[in-house]
Amino acid sequence: MEPLTPEQARARHASGEQYTAVASPKEGAAPEVRVEMQLEDGYVVVVFMDEYGRDAIVYEFTLIDGSLFLESASVYGYGSSQERGGYADAESVETYEFTTEGVVQRMVEEGGEGTTESRYGIDVSKNWEPVPEFGEYASLIRRDR
């Protein structure tokens, strides 16, 4: 697959078609974050990668009434594994799912076991983000939420 030109990506952003933007700290360095946009289907995914190119933190947003709502946040743990790339199996996954009504469900999977807990009445006002203009992803790619 060939990378899109900036013009092609901008056109896809405007039409809502899927595209991925990848940010590196400097030219030639390994990517640290990618933003997967598909506004026509109402979703945006932000993925922070570790030094081995594996998904470390994943934020999933959904489009609601013209704004993006952080619907899910997952943290992946790989233990001492140095396996590279997107095919590495995580040893643990901790996922938080949010609703606009303030329900948060926490799920932890580790070693084939899983636990789930829910909390109600949580303030989720900070889960909302404006839909960014093309190339203006700073508010979406905030690691600390």
Side-chain angles (χ1 to χ4, degrees):
M1 178 182 295
E2 290 293 315
L4 298 174
T5 66
E7 295 77 19
Q8 290 170 320
R10 183 182 303 278
R12 287 187 178 201
H13 183 89
S15 70
E17 290 179 79
Q18 183 177 10
Y19 73 95
T20 300
V22 179
S24 296
K26 55 187 163 198
E27 189 74 26
E32 292 183 348
V33 63
R34 69 181 184 268
V35 179
E36 300 169 8
M37 304 281 291
Q38 190 162 358
L39 294 174
E40 70 183 351
D41 289 335
Y43 80 87
V44 174
V45 177
V46 177
V47 180
F48 295 92
M49 294 165 279
D50 68 10
E51 65 270 23
Y52 300 107
R54 303 173 298 199
D55 295 357
I57 300 172
V58 177
Y59 295 140
E60 297 181 24
F61 295 85
T62 189
L63 187 63
I64 300 173
D65 297 330
S67 294
L68 295 171
F69 180 75
L70 177 62
E71 185 173 69
S72 173
S74 298
V75 178
Y76 296 82
Y78 298 94
S80 61
S81 170
Q82 295 182 5
E83 189 174 3
R84 295 188 169 275
Y87 300 105
D89 290 325
E91 287 184 7
S92 64
V93 181
E94 184 173 3
T95 301
Y96 294 84
E97 292 183 350
F98 307 93
T99 71
T100 57
E101 293 81 26
V103 178
V104 178
Q105 187 173 52
R106 176 180 177 251
M107 294 159 284
V108 178
E109 297 175 31
E110 190 167 6
E113 301 286 321
T115 61
T116 301
E117 65 179 290
S118 297
R119 305 240 185 226
Y120 303 88
I122 304 299
D123 179 9
V124 293
S125 60
K126 292 183 180 182
N127 287 39
W128 292 97
E129 292 288 342
V131 174
E133 295 295 324
F134 176 76
E136 302 295 323
Y137 310 116
S139 67
L140 285 180
I141 62 171
R142 290 182 292 116
R143 197 176 186 111
D144 297 325
R145 293 197 167 266

